[in-house]
Amino acid sequence: MSHHTEKLELLRAKFADSDGGTIFTPKYQRVAEKVFSEGGHRSAPYAGIPTLLDSPQRPAEGMKDLQVALFGVPMDLGVTNRNGSRFGPRALRAIERVGPYNDALETAPIHEMAVADIGDVPFRSRFDLAQSHEDIEALARAVVANNVLPMAVGGDHSITHPILRAVGEKTPVGMIHIDAHCDTGGSYEGEKFHHGGPFRNAVLDGVLDPERTIQIGIRGAAGYIWEFSTMSGMTVIEAKDITEERLPEIIALARQVVGDGPTYLSFDIDSLDPAFAPGTGTPEVGGLTTREAMKLIRGFKGLNFVGGDVVEVAPAYDPTTNTAQNGAQMLFEILSLMQFSPSLPSK
């Protein structure tokens, strides 16, 4: 018997009658055991009620046993340009398949943590920005009070300020902020709680530590209104200085800036170049590729994350659904990081 024939017979003996859930590599088998049921069956990604990352549904009142709570924030009253990110949570829920396995971080976060989609922030009014921020903060505080890590899907970027008020109440948090814009502007036309200023507001509230904050991917014509970032002590990495070769250096710098303290990760989809994410309110040419963004996020494994968000997906401006697809992927990457956070609750 030739070597080729012998090898073929061995492969037939091992694989011919095995189903898709039979995996022989131990690190993959532990995932397959959670994803597949008898006979190689797994849930169809296009069936059932859509949830964020196909996580289980759980009412907010029943979140106490969770480790991470995913929730939508369908509110865009704080935009300064195109609206429509109120539809972001629904768009991300409609993405058929992201995960379940993160090959770079070797985790299946939905199956290896207690994670659920607890629905959307229950807004009392669709017209009142200040009241909407109160409602966001109330839900975020409820999540934190239950010793659960919050992960939000916006909505415009103003939603991050009330979440930071909840997670940073006892100890100011550091932040890794991936965005085209610094979002540290002042009051515009009598309103300071718009999506261009959440991080100035959070610093002045004492819930965000600017010296433990790094902003990555910044670009565009509005740099003259973001002096607060550098004057407060934030580290700013402009998009023009990001190359594939420099990514390890930027990752190392980010890890140094935030240290081992509690840290929040906020990802604005407009950090990606409009080629990858046209569906957003303020697109800026010259942004990150999806590969660069994923490499950045995956480089933060082991940091002490206490929450995160993905914001500014406005699906009406992208008939291809690529923006929502990329937003869901970034949400999955951030969720994967939570499994390795020292702050992940043990439940």
Side-chain angles (χ1 to χ4, degrees):
M1 182 182 296
S2 69
H3 171 72
H4 173 77
T5 303
E6 182 179 359
K7 185 175 181 179
L8 179 58
E9 289 303 317
L10 290 173
L11 288 172
R12 284 172 173 167
K14 192 167 189 174
F15 290 104
D17 297 321
S18 63
D19 58 50
T22 302
I23 307 293
F24 298 96
T25 306
K27 69 176 182 178
Y28 299 140
Q29 177 60 26
R30 68 177 174 81
V31 178
E33 288 173 353
K34 296 177 174 68
V35 175
F36 290 90
S37 58
E38 187 174 354
H41 177 79
R42 59 178 175 173
S43 299
Y46 48 82
I49 297 173
T51 62
L52 293 169
L53 301 180
D54 286 331
S55 59
Q57 286 182 294
R58 182 81 63 87
E61 297 78 14
M63 73 170 96
K64 65 180 180 179
D65 296 328
L66 298 179
Q67 293 173 292
V68 181
L70 301 170
F71 58 93
V73 192
M75 192 284 297
D76 60 8
L77 295 173
V79 297
T80 56
N81 192 33
R82 306 189 300 192
N83 63 1
S85 60
R86 65 182 64 184
F87 293 100
R90 179 171 290 187
L92 263 67
R93 287 188 174 105
I95 296 302
E96 290 85 2
R97 188 189 68 82
V98 174
Y101 184 63
N102 188 314
D103 57 339
L105 300 179
E106 297 187 353
T107 178
I110 294 295
H111 299 280
E112 297 186 328
M113 292 187 291
V115 183
D117 183 339
I118 63 170
D120 290 340
V121 172
F123 290 111
R124 290 169 289 171
S125 171
R126 75 189 72 182
F127 305 109
D128 190 322
L129 176 61
Q131 191 178 68
S132 294
H133 284 169
E134 291 173 4
D135 295 337
I136 297 166
E137 184 176 343
L139 180 60
R141 285 188 180 278
V143 173
V144 173
N146 279 278
N147 191 29
V148 179
L149 303 184
M151 281 195 58
V153 175
D156 70 59
H157 219 155
S158 73
I159 75 161
T160 308
H161 176 217
I163 299 173
L164 289 173
R165 284 175 56 87
V167 298
E169 180 183 27
K170 295 180 180 178
T171 303
V173 298
M175 181 176 66
I176 296 175
H177 171 211
I178 304 174
D179 200 330
H181 314 100
C182 285
D183 292 350
T184 50
S187 175
Y188 303 150
E189 299 152 28
E191 177 59 70
K192 70 177 183 179
F193 296 109
H194 52 79
H195 75 160
F199 304 122
R200 178 192 292 217
N201 297 327
V203 169
L204 297 180
D205 275 350
V207 297
L208 176 65
D209 182 350
E211 294 185 356
R212 293 187 54 241
T213 295
I214 184 167
Q215 303 184 298
I216 303 172
I218 308 304
R219 62 193 186 278
Y224 67 98
I225 59 177
W226 295 323
E227 65 181 8
F228 182 88
S229 289
T230 53
M231 292 182 72
S232 66
M234 296 181 183
T235 301
V236 179
I237 305 296
E238 296 186 39
K240 65 181 177 61
D241 297 323
I242 299 174
T243 63
E244 184 72 22
E245 292 76 20
R246 285 203 65 203
L247 281 176
E249 174 189 340
I250 294 168
I251 290 168
L253 177 60
R255 297 181 70 95
Q256 177 184 341
V257 168
V258 302
D260 58 5
T263 301
Y264 191 86
L265 202 165
S266 187
F267 188 95
D268 190 323
I269 201 68
D270 69 28
S271 63
L272 301 178
D273 190 88
F276 303 94
T280 191
T282 314
E284 299 281 2
V285 171
L288 299 171
T289 68
T290 51
R291 183 180 297 178
E292 289 168 341
M294 290 170 68
K295 187 169 183 177
L296 268 176
I297 296 172
R298 290 170 171 182
F300 303 142
K301 178 181 179 180
L303 292 178
N304 190 9
F305 289 112
V306 293
D309 60 47
V310 172
V311 299
E312 299 283 358
V313 173
Y317 306 110
D318 182 3
T320 70
T321 75
N322 283 353
T323 307
Q325 177 76 46
N326 291 329
Q329 184 67 47
M330 300 309 158
L331 184 69
F332 178 74
E333 299 296 334
I334 298 169
L335 177 63
S336 297
L337 292 179
M338 297 299 164
Q339 186 166 344
F340 306 100
S341 171
S343 287
L344 183 71
S346 56
K347 296 186 178 183

